[in-house]
Amino acid sequence: MALILADIACVYAAGTSLESAALHGVSLTLSRGDLVLVLGPTGAGKTTLLRAAAGLLSVSQGSVEVDGLPASGRGSTRGAVGLVFQRPESQFFSLSVEDDCAFGPRNLGRAPGEALQDAREALAAVGLDPSTFGPREPWSLSGGEARRAALAGVLAMRPRYLLLDEPTAGLDAAGRQSVCAAVEEARTRAGVLVVTHDAESFLGSADRVLVLRGGRPAFDGDVSALLHALPTLAAADDVDPPEVPRTLMLARERGLLPPGPLTLDVESAADLLAGALPGGERR
Amino acid sequence: MIRFDSVSFRYRGDAPLALDGVCLALEAGELVAVVGANGSGKSTLARLCDGLLEPTSGSVTVDGLDSVDPASLWKVRSMVGMVFQDPDDQIVGTVVEEDCAFGPENLGLPSDEIRVRVDSSLRAVGLDGLERREPHLLSEGQKQRLAVAGALAMRPRYLVFDEPTAMLDPVGRRAVLEITERLAHAEGHGVLVVSHDIGGVARADRVIGLAGGRVVFDGAPEGLMDDASMLLRVGLSLPPAARLAAALRARGLDVPAPAADAESVVASLWR
């Protein structure tokens, strides 16, 4: 049981003079409980990949399957994949948060009472107490609260796979933290795919990372393999390295530290540096 | 200078104050970062700078001119350029140079003057050579630079950026941050950048921190980086580099306290 993209290609405006290939030869498997990150510069095809995975875009090559069924067209599994667009809080339209969150499940044909129950459960799952936040006007929420409420609106549909486009963009530190916690909770119910420039927030807990460059995979592997490839990926501007490994990379460039592995962890990085420098002692 | 004198603002009669008694000054040649949690009043502050919003009480003046006096409002707007978060919101032309010319054309300037302004503005943001490119074919970072060029073509003395890097990838983000710094320090504009971007904060001459509509910090970025509780209050987290610096100090290495990024940590180890 998984969301599987097999060797897909996507072409925009096919057959016209504006034809452009946005994705080529990309494969990805998302299982329940997984957190998969998709990184890469603007224009690398990240959002196209999300749209293809959600069945919003037909692929010109390869296939997209959700638990063995096609992601789009006849026989597809409606409601199995939830997609949260960039800045989803701009899509609020109800007068209360819980009504907004219940819209998705109602549209899937659930009874109003059941849909409301789903909405309240989803709000609790993203850390918004339904009795406090449910009756609030969506426009009165702070940035981090609004982003989580929008996420709850999709979780309320009980998707088996959750796709998030830049979930932390434009949020302050507390907002980013609350969204990361909501993603961790979502992961207990679904496979989560996050497209982001914010590697810093998600890398620590990701199972797998796909880096796109010009629509093609530039890297595909787990976090320790990514750390190994980080100097090369950073040099090509595919990934902005998180600050801790970036400090180690800079220290190596200046000959302060012998070649070796990188780490995301502050204490291990400090040990590496302290062990290599005069006057430093490892802990 | 742009000067806020005890400025308060509320969006509706019964709404709480979005800004509460804010005093600040932005001089030409200065790069000032405004930070604050979501909802702290940052964007409201940006929109008050050129009279897009009118203070509920207090006054905003630009080189001595009142931002809401009908007699000086247009002069004020021509002196303060605004660049918003999403460049798509402010791109109107069908090709790059036409978009950049939109503002000066509206001033009714002669065409050779417009040409000069467009060329120099596009050069200032590194978009020269792309004059005939259609804006939708630009990367997000290039679009944001085009929005900056459009503002520059109006020859403003002050530039106000509202979250200019929020939607950009790392390359676009660095390019826009470098431009804000150059516009202030090399070209002499007064530049105000509203941002959550810790990288942008570290480059600033001065940081203004907002919480609940009030100014709770006004000083050098080093002073802010040093103060974990203040960072949290203004919606920033202690930068990972600062945490690493603290861990290195605990291991007997001499790394001075304000460490905003990897460069400053490594520079202090290098000494």
Side-chain angles (χ1 to χ4, degrees):
Chain A
M1 297 286 268
L3 169 63
I4 300 173
L5 282 67
D7 193 27
I8 65 164
C10 288
V11 177
Y12 285 117
T16 74
S17 60
L18 294 172
E19 177 173 311
S20 67
L23 279 183
H24 194 83
V26 174
S27 298
L28 183 150
T29 299
L30 181 67
S31 303
R32 189 159 165 163
D34 276 355
L35 174 62
V36 175
L37 291 192
V38 182
L39 307 174
T42 306
K46 303 190 298 298
T47 299
T48 303
L49 179 127
L50 273 196
R51 291 162 53 105
L56 292 179
L57 197 70
S58 55
V59 296
S60 51
Q61 175 202 307
S63 66
V64 182
E65 280 187 3
V66 182
D67 297 343
L69 294 169
S72 63
R74 195 177 290 257
S76 62
T77 50
R78 195 163 168 243
V81 180
L83 172 61
V84 182
F85 291 101
Q86 277 191 42
R87 306 207 158 258
E89 57 274 20
S90 63
Q91 297 170 35
F92 289 134
F93 59 92
S94 284
L95 290 175
S96 74
V97 169
E98 61 190 7
D99 187 55
D100 208 283
C101 289
F103 177 76
R106 274 204 312 271
N107 258 338
L108 289 175
R110 292 182 205 154
E114 189 192 356
L116 193 60
Q117 195 49 43
D118 285 333
R120 289 182 178 153
E121 233 170 65
L123 283 169
V126 299
L128 298 174
D129 175 18
S131 55
T132 312
F133 286 93
R136 292 259 304 262
E137 280 185 31
W139 301 278
S140 71
L141 302 178
S142 77
E145 290 162 358
R147 188 69 53 86
R148 281 181 286 156
L151 182 58
V154 175
L155 272 184
M157 294 191 279
R158 295 183 233 141
R160 297 196 288 277
Y161 305 98
L162 183 65
L163 316 177
L164 307 174
D165 198 355
E166 294 283 4
T168 55
L171 294 185
D172 59 27
R176 286 198 301 273
Q177 253 166 31
S178 68
V179 166
C180 289
V183 165
E184 279 308 308
E185 171 61 31
R187 207 172 159 182
T188 63
R189 317 157 170 239
V192 184
L193 184 71
V194 174
V195 157
T196 188
H197 294 310
D198 182 14
E200 193 93 58
S201 288
F202 294 102
L203 215 45
S205 53
D207 296 299
R208 203 165 182 81
V209 184
L210 173 67
V211 179
L212 294 177
R213 176 197 301 157
R216 291 166 191 269
F219 171 86
D220 185 3
D222 63 12
V223 174
S224 67
L226 179 86
L227 286 171
H228 192 73
L230 199 55
T232 319
L233 292 166
D237 275 329
D238 290 324
V239 176
D240 206 15
E243 223 36 34
V244 170
R246 195 164 79 87
T247 309
L248 296 175
M249 284 159 58
L250 268 177
R252 288 206 172 109
E253 274 170 32
R254 308 222 177 143
L256 294 172
L257 191 66
L262 293 169
T263 174
L264 292 167
D265 179 57
V266 168
E267 299 299 323
S268 335
D271 271 339
L272 278 175
L273 286 164
L277 290 162
E281 17 177 304
R282 301 173 77 101
R283 280 270 161 118
Chain B
M1 109 179 33
I2 297 185
R3 194 184 156 95
F4 279 54
D5 212 349
S6 306
V7 172
S8 295
F9 181 85
R10 65 175 94 237
Y11 280 91
R12 283 194 316 245
D14 58 344
L17 285 174
L19 281 187
D20 187 357
V22 169
C23 296
L24 61 89
L26 171 72
E27 311 251 12
E30 196 181 21
L31 177 59
V32 172
V34 178
V35 296
N38 292 113
S40 62
K42 303 187 301 297
S43 294
T44 304
L45 186 146
R47 283 161 173 73
L48 281 157
C49 287
D50 73 339
L52 274 179
L53 294 176
E54 198 171 312
T56 307
S57 66
S59 70
V60 177
T61 55
V62 179
D63 289 353
L65 300 173
D66 192 322
S67 71
V68 297
D69 180 354
S72 53
L73 178 62
W74 295 106
K75 177 75 183 153
V76 164
R77 293 222 173 135
S78 73
M79 289 160 73
V80 182
M82 302 281 289
V83 177
F84 297 101
Q85 183 169 312
D86 186 351
D88 286 324
D89 289 345
Q90 63 188 115
I91 291 176
V92 294
T94 54
V95 297
V96 164
E97 61 180 5
E98 184 194 319
D99 184 77
C100 188
F102 179 79
E105 274 173 348
N106 270 334
L107 295 179
L109 296 172
S111 59
D112 48 352
E113 167 69 13
I114 293 175
R115 183 79 254 168
V116 169
R117 288 191 179 201
V118 167
D119 288 347
S120 70
S121 304
L122 291 177
R123 214 166 31 243
V125 299
L127 287 181
D128 41 332
L130 297 178
E131 287 83 356
R132 305 295 300 166
R133 184 72 60 92
E134 293 166 40
H136 69 92
L137 296 178
L138 299 178
S139 73
E140 289 303 307
Q142 287 171 329
K143 281 188 203 170
Q144 191 58 290
R145 278 144 66 194
L146 174 57
V148 178
L152 280 180
M154 299 298 277
R155 297 272 162 92
R157 189 164 296 162
Y158 305 95
L159 282 157
V160 177
F161 294 81
D162 191 0
E163 298 266 11
T165 58
M167 308 193 57
L168 303 184
D169 65 7
V171 178
R173 179 178 149 252
R174 274 197 295 274
V176 168
L177 289 179
E178 272 158 25
I179 286 169
T180 57
E181 195 172 8
R182 202 178 61 240
L183 289 174
H185 296 154
E187 319 256 331
H189 295 274
V191 179
L192 190 80
V193 182
V194 167
S195 181
H196 293 309
D197 190 331
I198 197 92
V201 172
R203 287 165 187 263
D205 300 312
R206 197 153 57 86
V207 184
I208 293 169
L210 293 177
R214 290 170 176 269
V215 174
V216 294
F217 182 90
D218 187 345
E222 292 78 15
L224 182 63
M225 302 296 173
D226 245 356
D227 187 341
S229 70
M230 181 57 81
L231 278 169
L232 204 64
R233 203 169 165 205
V234 297
L236 298 170
S237 52
L238 193 63
R243 283 191 282 130
L244 181 54
L248 289 169
R249 276 195 297 280
R251 286 164 177 78
L253 289 168
D254 178 25
V255 183
D261 55 20
E263 280 77 7
S264 52
V265 173
V266 173
S268 58
L269 293 173
W270 177 247
R271 275 182 295 122

